[in-house]
Amino acid sequence: MDDLTLTSGHWPTQPDQIVLGDIHGPGEQIGAQITVTGVPGSPKLTIVGFATSITQTAQAWVLPSEVAALHAPGSPDVSQMLYRFSSATTTSQVNADLASVRAALPHGSVLGAQSYLTVKLQDTGAIAPWVPFIVAFSVIGLVMSALIVANVVSGAVVAGTRRIGVLKSIGFSPGQVVASYVIQVAVPALLGCVIGVVAGNLLSVPLLSQTAQVYGVGALAVPFWVDVAVPLAMLGLAGAAAVLLALRAGRMSAVQAIATGRAPRPKHGYAAHRVLGRGPWTRLPRAVTIGLAGPFARPTRTGITLAALLFGAIAVTFGVGLGSSLNRVYNDLNLTPEQVQVNIPGGPASGSVMPGPGPQLPSLAAQERAVVAALRAQPGTAHYVAEADDDINVTGVADRLSLTGFAGDASWAGYALISGHWYSGPGQADVNTAFLTQTGAKVGDTYTLTSGTRHLTVRIAGEVFDPRGGRPEIIASTSTLAALDPGLSPNQYDVALTPGTNAQAYALAVQAKLGQFYQAQTNGGSSSQFFVIIGLVATLTLLLTAVAALGVLNTVVLQTRERVHDLGVFKAIGMTPRQTIAMVVCSVVGIGLVAGLIGIPAGIAVHHFVLPAMAHAAQTDAPPSVLDVYHPWELVLLALSGLAIAVVGALLPAGWAARTRTASALRAE
């Protein structure tokens, strides 16, 4: 029930052996000995293994007979029982079952209880904001993959239309033709699915191992139903595409199939060639106009390619916007970019000293005077303000209320506002989304806070952006919050620097002036996590861009192979290799431009849908500054993203076409 998983070594077989939790120090290795202090005889135990517990109910395991020997004298006898309830999907269901357990046991025997829902919320809270954008990228990737599979299969069947005519001419029935092509598609599709499933499972091993170690849940693996459902879905997609096109070709007569296999069907693309050969289009080189008219010969294939490029442009637009938004969030978490914090040790009332030997701690008033003097004397100081922080219990708020008080103007501190304005006087305060959610208040309301016998009525001036968790927070002047928390005193100074000042050098200089009791540091924030996420966004964007380019490459290869005889004719009448490359590349230029133009509003729409979902997962709303991240010059470049992807995908087959010899192309069937 506890899902104990032995990660290395073996379970204890003797009284002097112990298995430790998987998170251990560098000196704690298998075979090493540890000494248990605080119990009679200070026994030594040999480490024989490491294990994980999904409920984290223990940090070490020994034989049951050894527990009594490790029991400290005078400590109460406490046991732990794990329960699995039949209905435990909500907190109310778990609490109802816990009430039944308490009622069935002697009064006072249940010292405490912890629900798995609480542990689950704590473990998933850190990753919940990132799930929406990963899902968005995954959906885009799946759709693009499906389009490419359909395009490859349809191209293979269309390319074999002439062969279908030959088969019909020697007696194949329509059903036999369809079966032949479905089997031809199914064999490589099955092989690809098997290789993909194996490769996917192998690639997931290191990631799932790290995840299991972080959450202490033992071994993790790809679910069996995923290994079955994914290949079946891809096989079904490939088979459906093959059946639909093979049925259409199977119903053709032998002569019609042979003729269609050598050239596009009548009325497909000829009008486009005539239009592009007249009027102002005559100013363009003929190789360019031939390439621009090419997509109209195969409208279905062109539509699939357009869709793949469109999703690629959406991925690029969404990825660029998401990266910019995450940079804004990172700056909001760090407040102003050039900011230094000076932490002070604090203390009791003025004139008190720290007990015990060693240097005496100055009074709080003396500490503040020393910090202010050092900040005023240090070049590069633009603004500074004293900050006081505390957590208190407040009636009507489920969690402890986080208090942040400033002893002066802190409007420059860099807090992003979702709505409202920064507090501007006594009795005003700013709160985060969690506070509004738990209290039901709104910006502009007057709200009374009660903590014990103390009361404070504030007007909510604004809602601040706080993606660091769901704990309610209130920000106001220290004098305002003192009515609710008389012991609130400064614990740090926030310092804004003048432009061009090196934050690290400034912090070191202030630290040297103040001495050992103080700590000056730059405003670091959780940079590593955000940089990892931004790197993931960039990686996913590049992968989807590559997938879109591969889709274009596949389309151009099919078109080039299909019209290789025409290519030989063009070369025979004087088309140069450069003109050939221009013709092939221009066959996807129009599609890329259309995809880029449509992809901009679609990508922005995805961005404006996913960002609020990420913010809500972090139990906050998204400020306008996080959503409005697209600049006009960026939109111009993003409009060309579809064109860039199309050109990159077409260059390789264009080079192949340019190198093809005229005689070889004319002989090709």
Side-chain angles (χ1 to χ4, degrees), residues 476-572:
S477 65
T478 306
S479 58
T480 298
L481 297 178
L484 191 66
D485 185 7
L488 192 65
S489 59
N491 60 300
Q492 71 178 43
Y493 275 77
D494 300 327
V495 187
L497 308 182
T498 57
T501 303
N502 185 281
Q504 188 64 39
Y506 182 96
L508 292 175
V510 172
Q511 178 74 59
K513 287 183 179 180
L514 292 174
Q516 61 178 337
F517 292 121
Y518 307 85
Q519 183 181 11
Q521 59 187 6
T522 57
N523 215 353
S526 54
S527 59
S528 59
Q529 184 184 30
F530 271 96
F531 290 155
V532 169
I533 295 299
I534 290 176
L536 178 60
V537 171
T539 301
L540 292 175
T541 303
L542 291 175
L543 285 175
L544 292 181
T545 303
V547 171
L550 288 174
V552 174
L553 184 146
N554 167 71
T555 298
V556 177
V557 167
L558 290 174
Q559 290 177 347
T560 305
R561 292 288 187 183
E562 187 178 87
R563 303 191 62 186
V564 65
H565 190 271
D566 295 343
L567 180 62
V569 174
F570 291 145
K571 284 177 168 287

Side-chain angles (χ1 to χ4, degrees), residues 375 383-387 405-410 412-413 492-496:
L375 296 179
H383 307 282
Y384 63 88
V385 65
E387 178 182 336
F406 292 103
D409 179 24
W412 51 266
Q492 71 178 43
Y493 275 77
D494 300 327
V495 187

Side-chain angles (χ1 to χ4, degrees), residues 184-248:
Q184 289 184 33
V185 169
V187 171
L190 177 61
L191 181 62
C193 288
V194 171
I195 296 175
V197 169
V198 173
N201 279 270
L202 292 177
L203 291 173
S204 69
V205 168
L207 178 61
L208 293 178
S209 298
Q210 294 177 3
T211 304
Q213 185 176 6
V214 169
Y215 293 103
V217 293
L220 291 178
V222 176
F224 177 75
W225 67 268
V226 173
D227 288 337
V228 174
V230 170
L232 287 179
M234 298 307 292
L235 282 174
L237 176 65
V243 168
L244 292 176
L245 290 169
L247 278 174
R248 187 185 68 175

Side-chain angles (χ1 to χ4, degrees), residues 7-387:
T7 58
S8 61
H10 61 85
W11 290 109
T13 57
Q14 299 177 12
D16 61 345
Q17 295 179 348
I18 187 171
V19 169
L20 298 182
D22 206 31
I23 300 177
H24 50 85
E28 297 174 343
Q29 303 295 333
I30 293 179
Q33 285 191 334
I34 60 174
T35 302
V36 182
T37 60
V39 298
S42 298
K44 294 183 180 295
L45 302 177
T46 302
I47 302 174
V48 296
F50 297 99
T52 60
S53 162
I54 193 170
T55 59
Q56 300 179 2
T57 52
Q59 288 76 46
W61 295 267
V62 296
L63 290 180
S65 59
E66 190 70 6
V67 173
L70 300 177
H71 194 74
S75 60
D77 293 331
V78 179
S79 299
Q80 187 179 77
M81 179 67 71
L82 303 181
Y83 288 90
R84 176 173 289 166
F85 301 130
S86 57
S87 299
T89 56
T90 64
T91 302
S92 59
Q93 291 176 338
V94 173
N95 290 338
D97 287 327
L98 286 175
S100 301
V101 172
R102 285 191 173 93
L105 295 173
H107 178 70
S109 60
V110 179
L111 301 179
Q114 183 181 39
S115 169
Y116 84 98
L117 293 172
T118 304
V119 179
K120 179 181 178 182
L121 181 62
Q122 292 173 349
D123 286 343
T124 59
I127 62 172
W130 316 122
V131 172
F133 92 82
I134 295 176
V135 171
F137 274 119
S138 301
V139 170
I140 294 174
L142 287 173
V143 173
M144 292 174 65
S145 300
L147 289 172
I148 291 176
V149 169
N151 198 14
V152 169
V153 173
S154 62
V157 177
V158 170
T161 303
R162 184 174 182 274
R163 183 172 179 272
I164 290 176
V166 174
L167 293 177
K168 292 178 70 69
S169 66
I170 61 176
F172 272 58
S173 66
Q176 290 174 322
V177 169
V178 173
S180 172
Y181 271 83
V182 169
I183 293 174
Q184 289 184 33
V185 169
V187 171
L190 177 61
L191 181 62
C193 288
V194 171
I195 296 175
V197 169
V198 173
N201 279 270
L202 292 177
L203 291 173
S204 69
V205 168
L207 178 61
L208 293 178
S209 298
Q210 294 177 3
T211 304
Q213 185 176 6
V214 169
Y215 293 103
V217 293
L220 291 178
V222 176
F224 177 75
W225 67 268
V226 173
D227 288 337
V228 174
V230 170
L232 287 179
M234 298 307 292
L235 282 174
L237 176 65
V243 168
L244 292 176
L245 290 169
L247 278 174
R248 187 185 68 175
R251 288 194 296 266
M252 295 181 181
S253 65
V255 175
Q256 185 182 9
I258 293 174
T260 303
R262 289 298 303 269
R265 296 176 65 186
K267 300 181 181 180
H268 278 185
Y270 294 108
H273 280 282
R274 287 195 295 269
V275 170
L276 292 173
R278 301 173 183 172
W281 299 103
T282 57
R283 299 178 182 177
L284 296 176
R286 188 57 180 152
V288 173
T289 58
I290 292 175
L292 292 176
F296 295 94
R298 297 290 187 190
T300 302
R301 183 185 299 167
T302 300
I304 295 177
T305 306
L306 175 63
L309 279 173
L310 174 60
F311 280 100
I314 291 174
V316 172
T317 305
F318 172 54
V320 170
L322 184 59
S324 300
S325 296
L326 291 179
N327 277 322
R328 293 276 181 90
V329 171
Y330 174 66
N331 291 331
D332 289 339
L333 287 177
N334 291 334
L335 304 180
T336 56
E338 296 296 335
Q339 191 175 108
V340 169
Q341 292 179 348
V342 180
N343 298 319
I344 59 178
S350 177
S352 63
V353 296
M354 291 293 291
Q360 292 185 339
L361 181 67
S363 67
L364 180 59
Q367 295 171 41
E368 294 187 63
R369 289 193 298 269
V371 172
V372 170
L375 296 179
R376 287 179 176 176
Q378 182 62 37
T381 304
H383 307 282
Y384 63 88
V385 65
E387 178 182 336

Side-chain angles (χ1 to χ4, degrees), residues 372-458:
V372 170
L375 296 179
R376 287 179 176 176
Q378 182 62 37
T381 304
H383 307 282
Y384 63 88
V385 65
E387 178 182 336
D389 301 288
D390 198 6
D391 293 335
I392 62 172
N393 290 318
V394 175
T395 303
V397 177
D399 202 351
R400 289 177 65 84
L401 177 64
S402 177
L403 304 179
T404 300
F406 292 103
D409 179 24
S411 58
W412 51 266
Y415 284 90
L417 288 171
I418 299 172
S419 60
H421 60 85
W422 188 253
Y423 72 88
S424 57
Q428 292 188 10
D430 292 302
V431 298
N432 63 353
T433 306
F435 181 94
L436 299 178
T437 301
Q438 293 194 22
T439 61
K442 300 184 296 295
V443 173
D445 290 353
T446 299
Y447 191 83
T448 300
L449 299 166
T450 302
S451 178
T453 59
R454 293 180 293 273
H455 306 276
L456 171 64
T457 300
V458 295

